[in-house]
Structures are given as structure tokens and as C-alpha cells.
Amino acid sequence: MHLRGRVRLGGLLCVLALAALVVSAADAAGPESTHAAASEHGGGGLISLDKSLIVQAVNFVILLLILQRLLYKPFLAKMEERTGAIKRSLEEAQAARAEAAHQAEENATRLRQAHAEAAAIREQALKEAGEEQRRLVESARAEAQRLVESAKAQMDADIRRAREELRREVADLATAVAEKLVRRSLRDEDHRRIVADTISRLGN
């Protein structure tokens, strides 16, 4: 659309230049030549079309054609090429801007996802740390309970062993007492009473 306007403007400029050339040629001929030409032809026109004016007009038209072919058309082609390059640059810039906006949106989305994943990992780590702490506490409690029960069992075993040893000592003592009593010819009732008293004392 802009190129057609330039072509029309160029043609209009050519026509105006041709008209200006004709007017300047007429002014250069002078009033005498104009009057003489008018008297010679018997007419009263403003401009006399002699051979020199026609030659100048033809030369000007040829010059315009040469300039149009050598300068004006390459200039229009260059301008059209430049316009296309600018248009392509604008389209590329717009595409790059859209791509940059899309990339920025993707980066923002990835950043939000990274924050969400980091928060989830932190929460999972805290949860696992709490569970590990709970397991360690329960394990420590179980180990303490086991040690207490083991110590209690060991103590009970020591007490039973001490009692067994004490009973054996008492039995030996009772046997020795019985032998002494037998030697002294004590009665059976006295013997049983002594043994019973001894056992009751050990039980207390």
C-alpha cells in the first residue's frame, strides 16, 4: 500500500517537473520570440512549440525514464526490501518477546514447584526425624526396662541362691544339733521342737 503511494507520488513529481521545464523553456524564449512566433503563425497563443522545446521535452522524458529505471525503481526495491526487513525484525522481536514471556512464566512455575517440593521435603524430613526420635526413646525405655528386669531377676536369683545356701547351712546345723541331742539322749519331742525352732528362726 505504501509502495503504490510512492509510485504515484513519483509519477506526479515527474509530471510536475515536465510542466516546470516547459514553462521555463517558454520563459527563456522571451516575449519577442513568442510575439514573432505568434505573428508568423498568425495566432495569439501563449506558448510557441518550436523544435528546441520539443527536443528538450523529449530529452527530459528520456532522462526521466532513465532515472526511473536506474534510480527510482532500485530505490523503491531497496525501500521495499528495507520495509520487509523492518517488518521481519518487528515480527521476530514480537516473537522473542512472547517467547521470553512464556519462558518467564515457565520459570515462575518451576520456581513455585521447587518451593513446594522443598517444603514437602522439609516436612517429610521433620516427620521422619520425629519418628526416629520416638523410636529411639521407645528403644531406650525398652532397654532400661530390660535392664531393670534383668537386674531384678538376677537379684531374685541371688536371693534364692542365698536362701538355698542358708537352708543347707540350717540343715547342716540342725543335723549337728540333732546329733548332739541324740548323743545326750534327748527325747524325740525335744528333738523336733529344737529343729522346728531353728527353722522358724531362719524363716524370719
mmCIF file of all heavy atoms in Angstrom, residues 8-48:
data_model
loop_
_atom_site.group_PDB
_atom_site.id
_atom_site.type_symbol
_atom_site.label_atom_id
_atom_site.label_comp_id
_atom_site.label_asym_id
_atom_site.label_seq_id
_atom_site.Cartn_x
_atom_site.Cartn_y
_atom_site.Cartn_z
ATOM 1 N N ARG A 8 2.892 6.484 -7.215
ATOM 2 C CA ARG A 8 2.023 7.569 -7.663
ATOM 3 C C ARG A 8 2.672 8.932 -7.405
ATOM 4 O O ARG A 8 2.608 9.839 -8.240
ATOM 5 C CB ARG A 8 0.680 7.484 -6.948
ATOM 6 C CG ARG A 8 -0.158 6.276 -7.390
ATOM 7 C CD ARG A 8 -1.450 6.211 -6.597
ATOM 8 N NE ARG A 8 -2.237 5.028 -6.975
ATOM 9 C CZ ARG A 8 -3.370 4.683 -6.390
ATOM 10 N NH1 ARG A 8 -3.842 5.436 -5.389
ATOM 11 N NH2 ARG A 8 -4.018 3.618 -6.782
ATOM 12 N N LEU A 9 3.275 9.065 -6.225
ATOM 13 C CA LEU A 9 3.949 10.323 -5.917
ATOM 14 C C LEU A 9 5.102 10.576 -6.868
ATOM 15 O O LEU A 9 5.311 11.712 -7.326
ATOM 16 C CB LEU A 9 4.457 10.268 -4.469
ATOM 17 C CG LEU A 9 5.185 11.531 -3.960
ATOM 18 C CD1 LEU A 9 4.252 12.735 -4.017
ATOM 19 C CD2 LEU A 9 5.691 11.311 -2.548
ATOM 20 N N GLY A 10 5.849 9.539 -7.225
ATOM 21 C CA GLY A 10 6.940 9.709 -8.175
ATOM 22 C C GLY A 10 6.445 10.122 -9.547
ATOM 23 O O GLY A 10 7.028 10.996 -10.210
ATOM 24 N N GLY A 11 5.342 9.495 -10.009
ATOM 25 C CA GLY A 11 4.783 9.898 -11.304
ATOM 26 C C GLY A 11 4.294 11.338 -11.304
ATOM 27 O O GLY A 11 4.487 12.074 -12.285
ATOM 28 N N LEU A 12 3.660 11.734 -10.202
ATOM 29 C CA LEU A 12 3.193 13.111 -10.103
ATOM 30 C C LEU A 12 4.352 14.095 -10.121
ATOM 31 O O LEU A 12 4.287 15.149 -10.784
ATOM 32 C CB LEU A 12 2.379 13.270 -8.814
ATOM 33 C CG LEU A 12 1.781 14.667 -8.559
ATOM 34 C CD1 LEU A 12 0.829 15.057 -9.689
ATOM 35 C CD2 LEU A 12 1.044 14.687 -7.218
ATOM 36 N N LEU A 13 5.435 13.745 -9.439
ATOM 37 C CA LEU A 13 6.613 14.602 -9.452
ATOM 38 C C LEU A 13 7.207 14.716 -10.850
ATOM 39 O O LEU A 13 7.670 15.785 -11.265
ATOM 40 C CB LEU A 13 7.662 14.076 -8.473
ATOM 41 C CG LEU A 13 7.305 14.211 -6.977
ATOM 42 C CD1 LEU A 13 8.376 13.542 -6.125
ATOM 43 C CD2 LEU A 13 7.165 15.678 -6.598
ATOM 44 N N CYS A 14 7.181 13.621 -11.610
ATOM 45 C CA CYS A 14 7.687 13.664 -12.984
ATOM 46 C C CYS A 14 6.854 14.597 -13.858
ATOM 47 O O CYS A 14 7.377 15.386 -14.651
ATOM 48 C CB CYS A 14 7.702 12.250 -13.571
ATOM 49 S SG CYS A 14 8.925 11.157 -12.824
ATOM 50 N N VAL A 15 5.555 14.499 -13.710
ATOM 51 C CA VAL A 15 4.669 15.374 -14.493
ATOM 52 C C VAL A 15 4.892 16.823 -14.134
ATOM 53 O O VAL A 15 4.967 17.716 -15.001
ATOM 54 C CB VAL A 15 3.200 14.962 -14.281
ATOM 55 C CG1 VAL A 15 2.263 15.971 -14.939
ATOM 56 C CG2 VAL A 15 2.970 13.574 -14.852
ATOM 57 N N LEU A 16 5.000 17.117 -12.825
ATOM 58 C CA LEU A 16 5.242 18.494 -12.394
ATOM 59 C C LEU A 16 6.573 19.002 -12.907
ATOM 60 O O LEU A 16 6.714 20.166 -13.313
ATOM 61 C CB LEU A 16 5.186 18.570 -10.874
ATOM 62 C CG LEU A 16 3.798 18.358 -10.238
ATOM 63 C CD1 LEU A 16 3.908 18.371 -8.720
ATOM 64 C CD2 LEU A 16 2.829 19.429 -10.713
ATOM 65 N N ALA A 17 7.601 18.126 -12.890
ATOM 66 C CA ALA A 17 8.908 18.540 -13.406
ATOM 67 C C ALA A 17 8.849 18.830 -14.893
ATOM 68 O O ALA A 17 9.459 19.789 -15.387
ATOM 69 C CB ALA A 17 9.938 17.447 -13.114
ATOM 70 N N LEU A 18 8.088 18.019 -15.651
ATOM 71 C CA LEU A 18 7.926 18.269 -17.082
ATOM 72 C C LEU A 18 7.222 19.576 -17.339
ATOM 73 O O LEU A 18 7.628 20.376 -18.214
ATOM 74 C CB LEU A 18 7.164 17.106 -17.716
ATOM 75 C CG LEU A 18 6.918 17.203 -19.229
ATOM 76 C CD1 LEU A 18 8.259 17.266 -19.979
ATOM 77 C CD2 LEU A 18 6.113 15.997 -19.716
ATOM 78 N N ALA A 19 6.167 19.857 -16.555
ATOM 79 C CA ALA A 19 5.454 21.115 -16.727
ATOM 80 C C ALA A 19 6.338 22.303 -16.393
ATOM 81 O O ALA A 19 6.333 23.328 -17.090
ATOM 82 C CB ALA A 19 4.214 21.122 -15.848
ATOM 83 N N ALA A 20 7.146 22.153 -15.323
ATOM 84 C CA ALA A 20 8.056 23.237 -14.964
ATOM 85 C C ALA A 20 9.082 23.461 -16.046
ATOM 86 O O ALA A 20 9.468 24.588 -16.355
ATOM 87 C CB ALA A 20 8.720 22.917 -13.634
ATOM 88 N N LEU A 21 9.566 22.374 -16.700
ATOM 89 C CA LEU A 21 10.521 22.514 -17.788
ATOM 90 C C LEU A 21 9.926 23.241 -18.974
ATOM 91 O O LEU A 21 10.554 24.101 -19.593
ATOM 92 C CB LEU A 21 11.034 21.127 -18.196
ATOM 93 C CG LEU A 21 12.086 21.090 -19.308
ATOM 94 C CD1 LEU A 21 13.342 21.853 -18.883
ATOM 95 C CD2 LEU A 21 12.441 19.671 -19.668
ATOM 96 N N VAL A 22 8.694 22.919 -19.271
ATOM 97 C CA VAL A 22 8.022 23.580 -20.398
ATOM 98 C C VAL A 22 7.852 25.059 -20.118
ATOM 99 O O VAL A 22 8.109 25.922 -20.966
ATOM 100 C CB VAL A 22 6.668 22.907 -20.671
ATOM 101 C CG1 VAL A 22 5.867 23.710 -21.690
ATOM 102 C CG2 VAL A 22 6.897 21.498 -21.171
ATOM 103 N N VAL A 23 7.437 25.397 -18.895
ATOM 104 C CA VAL A 23 7.238 26.801 -18.541
ATOM 105 C C VAL A 23 8.542 27.554 -18.563
ATOM 106 O O VAL A 23 8.651 28.684 -19.060
ATOM 107 C CB VAL A 23 6.557 26.908 -17.167
ATOM 108 C CG1 VAL A 23 6.522 28.347 -16.704
ATOM 109 C CG2 VAL A 23 5.149 26.346 -17.243
ATOM 110 N N SER A 24 9.623 26.915 -18.025
ATOM 111 C CA SER A 24 10.914 27.591 -18.029
ATOM 112 C C SER A 24 11.430 27.790 -19.439
ATOM 113 O O SER A 24 12.044 28.805 -19.766
ATOM 114 C CB SER A 24 11.919 26.794 -17.195
ATOM 115 O OG SER A 24 12.123 25.520 -17.777
ATOM 116 N N ALA A 25 11.190 26.830 -20.328
ATOM 117 C CA ALA A 25 11.616 26.976 -21.717
ATOM 118 C C ALA A 25 10.853 28.103 -22.395
ATOM 119 O O ALA A 25 11.407 28.869 -23.189
ATOM 120 C CB ALA A 25 11.419 25.666 -22.460
ATOM 121 N N ALA A 26 9.582 28.213 -22.056
ATOM 122 C CA ALA A 26 8.785 29.293 -22.646
ATOM 123 C C ALA A 26 9.256 30.636 -22.148
ATOM 124 O O ALA A 26 9.338 31.616 -22.902
ATOM 125 C CB ALA A 26 7.313 29.087 -22.318
ATOM 126 N N ASP A 27 9.609 30.730 -20.862
ATOM 127 C CA ASP A 27 10.118 31.984 -20.325
ATOM 128 C C ASP A 27 11.455 32.331 -20.926
ATOM 129 O O ASP A 27 11.778 33.507 -21.164
ATOM 130 C CB ASP A 27 10.245 31.883 -18.799
ATOM 131 C CG ASP A 27 8.863 31.807 -18.150
ATOM 132 O OD1 ASP A 27 7.886 32.252 -18.780
ATOM 133 O OD2 ASP A 27 8.777 31.294 -16.996
ATOM 134 N N ALA A 28 12.276 31.342 -21.221
ATOM 135 C CA ALA A 28 13.597 31.599 -21.795
ATOM 136 C C ALA A 28 13.502 32.094 -23.222
ATOM 137 O O ALA A 28 14.375 32.809 -23.712
ATOM 138 C CB ALA A 28 14.447 30.329 -21.721
ATOM 139 N N ALA A 29 12.468 31.724 -23.922
ATOM 140 C CA ALA A 29 12.320 32.168 -25.306
ATOM 141 C C ALA A 29 12.068 33.670 -25.393
ATOM 142 O O ALA A 29 12.419 34.318 -26.374
ATOM 143 C CB ALA A 29 11.179 31.408 -25.967
ATOM 144 N N GLY A 30 11.485 34.249 -24.349
ATOM 145 C CA GLY A 30 11.307 35.698 -24.311
ATOM 146 C C GLY A 30 10.032 36.148 -25.010
ATOM 147 O O GLY A 30 9.455 35.433 -25.822
ATOM 148 N N PRO A 31 9.596 37.338 -24.671
ATOM 149 C CA PRO A 31 8.359 37.837 -25.271
ATOM 150 C C PRO A 31 8.504 38.113 -26.757
ATOM 151 O O PRO A 31 7.554 37.976 -27.515
ATOM 152 C CB PRO A 31 8.072 39.117 -24.482
ATOM 153 C CG PRO A 31 9.337 39.454 -23.751
ATOM 154 C CD PRO A 31 10.139 38.229 -23.638
ATOM 155 N N GLU A 32 9.745 38.479 -27.210
ATOM 156 C CA GLU A 32 9.894 38.775 -28.629
ATOM 157 C C GLU A 32 9.688 37.538 -29.460
ATOM 158 O O GLU A 32 8.988 37.551 -30.481
ATOM 159 C CB GLU A 32 11.293 39.366 -28.909
ATOM 160 C CG GLU A 32 11.505 40.761 -28.334
ATOM 161 C CD GLU A 32 11.908 40.724 -26.874
ATOM 162 O OE1 GLU A 32 12.071 39.581 -26.333
ATOM 163 O OE2 GLU A 32 12.068 41.779 -26.253
ATOM 164 N N SER A 33 10.340 36.452 -29.025
ATOM 165 C CA SER A 33 10.195 35.234 -29.807
ATOM 166 C C SER A 33 8.781 34.746 -29.777
ATOM 167 O O SER A 33 8.265 34.216 -30.765
ATOM 168 C CB SER A 33 11.145 34.172 -29.278
ATOM 169 O OG SER A 33 10.835 33.877 -27.935
ATOM 170 N N THR A 34 8.136 34.936 -28.634
ATOM 171 C CA THR A 34 6.757 34.497 -28.531
ATOM 172 C C THR A 34 5.875 35.316 -29.448
ATOM 173 O O THR A 34 5.004 34.805 -30.164
ATOM 174 C CB THR A 34 6.267 34.624 -27.081
ATOM 175 O OG1 THR A 34 7.132 33.862 -26.254
ATOM 176 C CG2 THR A 34 4.862 34.109 -26.938
ATOM 177 N N HIS A 35 6.155 36.656 -29.469
ATOM 178 C CA HIS A 35 5.349 37.534 -30.304
ATOM 179 C C HIS A 35 5.613 37.264 -31.771
ATOM 180 O O HIS A 35 4.706 37.268 -32.625
ATOM 181 C CB HIS A 35 5.657 38.997 -29.960
ATOM 182 C CG HIS A 35 4.874 39.971 -30.787
ATOM 183 N ND1 HIS A 35 3.522 40.128 -30.663
ATOM 184 C CD2 HIS A 35 5.286 40.824 -31.783
ATOM 185 C CE1 HIS A 35 3.088 41.048 -31.532
ATOM 186 N NE2 HIS A 35 4.189 41.498 -32.239
ATOM 187 N N ALA A 36 6.943 37.029 -32.111
ATOM 188 C CA ALA A 36 7.288 36.765 -33.505
ATOM 189 C C ALA A 36 6.676 35.481 -33.973
ATOM 190 O O ALA A 36 6.176 35.383 -35.093
ATOM 191 C CB ALA A 36 8.808 36.711 -33.648
ATOM 192 N N ALA A 37 6.715 34.470 -33.098
ATOM 193 C CA ALA A 37 6.116 33.190 -33.491
ATOM 194 C C ALA A 37 4.637 33.329 -33.665
ATOM 195 O O ALA A 37 4.038 32.730 -34.563
ATOM 196 C CB ALA A 37 6.446 32.122 -32.429
ATOM 197 N N ALA A 38 4.045 34.150 -32.788
ATOM 198 C CA ALA A 38 2.605 34.339 -32.905
ATOM 199 C C ALA A 38 2.246 35.081 -34.181
ATOM 200 O O ALA A 38 1.265 34.774 -34.856
ATOM 201 C CB ALA A 38 2.084 35.103 -31.687
ATOM 202 N N SER A 39 3.096 36.114 -34.554
ATOM 203 C CA SER A 39 2.835 36.875 -35.775
ATOM 204 C C SER A 39 3.042 36.000 -36.985
ATOM 205 O O SER A 39 2.337 36.094 -37.987
ATOM 206 C CB SER A 39 3.758 38.094 -35.837
ATOM 207 O OG SER A 39 3.524 38.924 -34.703
ATOM 208 N N GLU A 40 4.092 35.135 -36.914
ATOM 209 C CA GLU A 40 4.395 34.284 -38.044
ATOM 210 C C GLU A 40 3.283 33.308 -38.316
ATOM 211 O O GLU A 40 2.917 33.039 -39.458
ATOM 212 C CB GLU A 40 5.713 33.568 -37.793
ATOM 213 C CG GLU A 40 6.152 32.665 -38.957
ATOM 214 C CD GLU A 40 7.450 31.971 -38.651
ATOM 215 O OE1 GLU A 40 8.076 32.281 -37.607
ATOM 216 O OE2 GLU A 40 7.849 31.100 -39.449
ATOM 217 N N HIS A 41 2.726 32.744 -37.266
ATOM 218 C CA HIS A 41 1.677 31.755 -37.449
ATOM 219 C C HIS A 41 0.315 32.403 -37.477
ATOM 220 O O HIS A 41 -0.689 31.724 -37.716
ATOM 221 C CB HIS A 41 1.711 30.703 -36.322
ATOM 222 C CG HIS A 41 2.910 29.794 -36.411
ATOM 223 N ND1 HIS A 41 4.134 30.125 -35.850
ATOM 224 C CD2 HIS A 41 3.085 28.600 -37.041
ATOM 225 C CE1 HIS A 41 5.000 29.154 -36.087
ATOM 226 N NE2 HIS A 41 4.375 28.202 -36.829
ATOM 227 N N GLY A 42 0.314 33.704 -37.168
ATOM 228 C CA GLY A 42 -0.955 34.411 -37.211
ATOM 229 C C GLY A 42 -1.854 34.078 -36.071
ATOM 230 O O GLY A 42 -3.067 34.228 -36.163
ATOM 231 N N GLY A 43 -1.309 33.589 -34.975
ATOM 232 C CA GLY A 43 -2.122 33.200 -33.820
ATOM 233 C C GLY A 43 -1.783 34.029 -32.620
ATOM 234 O O GLY A 43 -0.845 34.813 -32.621
ATOM 235 N N GLY A 44 -2.510 33.909 -31.561
ATOM 236 C CA GLY A 44 -2.265 34.650 -30.332
ATOM 237 C C GLY A 44 -2.074 33.756 -29.146
ATOM 238 O O GLY A 44 -2.501 34.101 -28.057
ATOM 239 N N GLY A 45 -1.401 32.539 -29.291
ATOM 240 C CA GLY A 45 -1.194 31.610 -28.176
ATOM 241 C C GLY A 45 -0.106 32.078 -27.249
ATOM 242 O O GLY A 45 0.735 32.910 -27.591
ATOM 243 N N LEU A 46 -0.099 31.522 -26.006
ATOM 244 C CA LEU A 46 0.899 31.892 -25.002
ATOM 245 C C LEU A 46 2.237 31.233 -25.256
ATOM 246 O O LEU A 46 3.286 31.811 -25.025
ATOM 247 C CB LEU A 46 0.398 31.521 -23.607
ATOM 248 C CG LEU A 46 -0.848 32.294 -23.128
ATOM 249 C CD1 LEU A 46 -1.289 31.751 -21.789
ATOM 250 C CD2 LEU A 46 -0.560 33.782 -23.056
ATOM 251 N N ILE A 47 2.242 29.970 -25.674
ATOM 252 C CA ILE A 47 3.475 29.216 -25.850
ATOM 253 C C ILE A 47 3.577 28.770 -27.300
ATOM 254 O O ILE A 47 2.618 28.250 -27.874
ATOM 255 C CB ILE A 47 3.512 27.991 -24.928
ATOM 256 C CG1 ILE A 47 3.431 28.424 -23.468
ATOM 257 C CG2 ILE A 47 4.765 27.156 -25.163
ATOM 258 C CD1 ILE A 47 3.328 27.299 -22.508
ATOM 259 N N SER A 48 4.785 28.973 -27.860
ATOM 260 C CA SER A 48 5.033 28.530 -29.230
ATOM 261 C C SER A 48 5.849 27.247 -29.166
ATOM 262 O O SER A 48 6.946 27.232 -28.589
ATOM 263 C CB SER A 48 5.797 29.612 -30.000
ATOM 264 O OG SER A 48 6.109 29.143 -31.296
#
